[in-house]
């Protein structure tokens, strides 16, 4: 049925964990079991979150721990599996800080994440909210939250401060053959950038071109200005060769099958111009997502980690259904685009 489907499809390990624990051999075997099951389903690759560590941790030791993890994957027969990474900045590692020392610290942190991406995935993509620290909402001296116009004005100086960090980071990532894809995330999770256009505006001022954007369907649906702006942003990113990654995620961050993803609008714009992998991203109701995203839905039970729950779907069932849904939706868009009657009407 899907013989013409030639796109790489990746699956996010946010279904299973936010921390790969690369120095834990027992947990590495659990990861390997998940990877093998998902490869058997038909997935081509995976997006792995690189957890932040305390400031005192030596980044070189972090990188070495992921070298060991990749060797374990290779030894288990997963050498040809592709990997991208998900990275966020933190209050400590803040590239937008007004303080030079803190920005330098953030740069070294982000370079180490580029190195980890290279170790795991080779010529790959580092994506995520790594411009402004995720979830760190600013306040005034009186401890009052900053919102709306005041927040957008406050961000200007922080964007400016981050320019030199990102120019150096982009130059370094290019030497490692790693693409940097900044992901905007909705405003109830984190301050700007919340929209694709805000990321593109920031990238426009960089002198180095080796930095792009991730488009996530959940973020677009929940934090955007509508279909016409989405079309403009996709065209703008593609025209600038900055459309690096696409995440397909339901607005509730749950199961993709039969969700509120606007497939027609999304794929009609992306399919003609995007040639990278599609990432199916499902956030499971596990720590820290259950609390940070205020999840009221049941957990998808993880084979080999959780007891089977007859009242909930398994993580593998959700993953397989999502892959089938994507293939069906891409095939549907392809059929519609090649329909002679539609082509004639478009020409008229």
């Amino acid at each position: 049925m899907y013989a013409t489907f030639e796109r790489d499809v990746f699956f996010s390990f946010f279904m299973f964990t936010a921390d790969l624990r690369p120095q834990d051999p027992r947990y590495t075997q659990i990861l390997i079991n998940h990877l093998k099951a998902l490869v058997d389903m038909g997935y081509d690759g995976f997006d792995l979150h690189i957890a932040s560590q305390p400031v005192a941790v030596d980044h070189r030791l972090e990188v070495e721990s992921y070298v060991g993890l990749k060797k374990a994957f290779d030894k288990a027969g997963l050498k040809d599996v592709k990997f991208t990474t998900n990275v966020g900045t933190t209050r400590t590692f803040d590239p937008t800080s007004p303080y030079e020392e803190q920005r330098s610290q953030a740069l070294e942190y982000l370079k180490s994440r580029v190195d980890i991406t290279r170790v795991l995935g080779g010529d790959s993509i580092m994506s995520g909210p790594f411009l402004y620290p995720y979830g760190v909402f600013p306040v005034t001296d009186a401890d009052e939250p900053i919102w709306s116009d005041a927040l957008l004005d406050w961000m200007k100086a922080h964007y400016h401060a981050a320019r030199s960090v990102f120019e150096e980071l982009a130059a370094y990532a290019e030497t490692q053959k790693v693409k940097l894809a900044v992901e905007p995330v909705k405003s109830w999770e984190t301050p700007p950038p919340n929209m694709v256009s805000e990321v593109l505006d920031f990238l426009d001022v960089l002198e180095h071109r080796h930095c792009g954007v991730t488009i996530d369907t959940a973020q677009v649906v929940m934090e955007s200005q509508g279909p016409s702006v989405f079309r403009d942003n996709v065209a703008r990113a593609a025209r600038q060769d900055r459309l690096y990654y696409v995440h397909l995620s339901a607005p509730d961050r749950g199961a993709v099958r039969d969700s509120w993803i606007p497939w027609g609008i999304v794929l009609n714009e992306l399919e003609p111009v995007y040639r990278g992998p599609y990432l199916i991203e499902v956030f499971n109701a596990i720590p820290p997502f259950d609390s940070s995203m205020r999840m009221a839905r049941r957990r998808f039970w993880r084979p080999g980690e959780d007891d089977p729950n007859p009242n909930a779907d398994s993580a593998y069932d959700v993953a397989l259904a999502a892959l089938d849904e994507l293939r069906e939706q891409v095939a549907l868009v392809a059929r519609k685009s090649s329909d002679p009657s539609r082509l004639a009407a478009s020409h008229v």
Side-chain angles (χ1 to χ4, degrees):
M1 176 184 275
Y2 307 117
T4 60
F5 193 87
E6 299 177 353
R7 183 72 59 115
D8 278 350
V9 182
F10 288 17
F11 191 75
S12 169
F13 258 53
F14 280 146
M15 174 65 87
F16 305 107
T17 184
D19 187 354
L20 300 174
R21 299 172 3 214
Q23 294 176 312
D24 181 347
R26 186 194 66 82
Y27 193 64
T28 295
Q29 186 57 53
I30 291 174
L31 296 176
I32 287 170
N33 292 341
H34 289 321
L35 289 169
K36 287 184 173 180
L38 292 158
V39 167
D40 287 345
M41 288 180 200
Y43 281 98
D44 303 288
F46 303 94
D47 191 59
L48 306 177
H49 181 250
I50 309 305
S52 60
Q53 301 296 328
V55 149
V57 173
D58 188 328
H59 293 317
R60 291 172 298 180
L61 296 179
E62 283 189 274
V63 175
E64 283 304 310
S65 71
Y66 285 95
V67 170
L69 182 65
K70 183 61 167 63
K71 286 180 179 178
F73 290 168
D74 292 351
K75 187 177 179 180
L78 299 164
K79 188 172 183 178
D80 295 329
V81 174
K82 302 172 185 178
F83 295 101
T84 59
T85 62
N86 186 288
V87 170
T89 43
T90 69
R91 189 186 299 273
T92 299
F93 301 116
D94 178 5
T96 75
S97 170
Y99 306 108
E100 183 178 356
E101 183 178 353
Q102 192 172 14
R103 293 197 303 274
S104 297
Q105 200 172 36
L107 177 59
E108 293 309 307
Y109 165 83
L110 288 170
K111 282 183 175 180
S112 74
R113 271 53 196 162
V114 169
D115 292 339
I116 291 169
T117 304
R118 178 69 182 175
V119 163
L120 291 173
D123 299 1
S124 189
I125 304 168
M126 183 178 102
S127 179
F130 57 85
L131 175 46
Y132 181 83
Y134 177 82
V136 180
F137 290 92
V139 294
T140 67
D141 291 342
D143 205 31
E144 293 291 332
I146 301 174
W147 299 111
S148 191
D149 289 2
L151 176 59
L152 295 177
D153 291 341
W154 182 88
M155 281 299 303
K156 290 178 182 178
H158 287 259
Y159 286 138
H160 182 76
R163 283 176 56 180
S164 61
V165 173
F166 269 74
E167 285 169 355
E168 187 170 343
L169 179 66
Y172 180 73
E174 186 174 28
T175 68
Q176 301 303 304
K177 299 183 179 179
V178 171
K179 290 183 175 181
L180 303 176
V182 180
E183 180 182 0
V185 176
K186 54 190 172 296
S187 60
W188 64 264
E189 282 188 55
T190 191
N194 305 123
M195 295 186 287
V196 174
S197 56
E198 291 173 325
V199 172
L200 292 174
D201 288 345
F202 171 75
L203 298 180
D204 278 346
V205 304
L206 299 183
E207 294 181 4
H208 203 286
R209 303 291 298 178
H210 194 76
C211 196
V213 65
T214 292
I215 291 181
D216 184 310
T217 55
Q219 316 299 355
V220 166
V221 170
M222 299 183 73
E223 190 85 34
S224 71
Q225 296 161 294
S228 63
V229 173
F230 174 73
R231 295 186 187 100
D232 291 344
N233 284 335
V234 170
R236 178 183 174 189
R239 186 170 60 249
Q240 297 176 352
D241 194 24
R242 280 182 158 151
L243 182 52
Y244 283 178
Y245 211 1
V246 172
H247 294 182
L248 301 170
S249 187
D252 72 341
R253 315 301 269 165
V256 168
R257 184 76 163 187
D258 193 28
S259 69
W260 289 105
I261 296 175
W263 291 107
I265 294 172
V266 169
L267 294 179
N268 280 336
E269 300 306 316
L270 291 172
E271 277 291 289
V273 297
Y274 178 64
R275 292 295 172 264
Y278 283 131
L279 173 71
I280 290 175
E281 189 176 54
V282 179
F283 285 74
N284 205 353
I286 56 174
F289 309 131
D290 51 357
S291 60
S292 66
M293 295 189 176
R294 300 171 176 84
M295 291 184 177
R297 55 178 163 83
R298 292 195 179 277
R299 175 182 298 183
F300 305 124
W301 61 273
R302 299 161 295 176
E305 294 191 69
D306 303 319
D307 293 332
N309 183 350
N311 298 314
D313 294 324
S314 80
Y316 292 175
D317 290 337
V318 173
L320 181 58
L323 184 58
D324 287 343
E325 176 82 355
L326 173 58
R327 287 170 167 169
E328 290 170 11
Q329 294 293 342
V330 170
L332 179 61
V333 168
R335 287 197 300 272
K336 288 182 177 179
S337 64
S338 60
D339 184 342
S341 63
R342 291 175 60 88
L343 291 173
S346 175
H347 178 71
V348 170

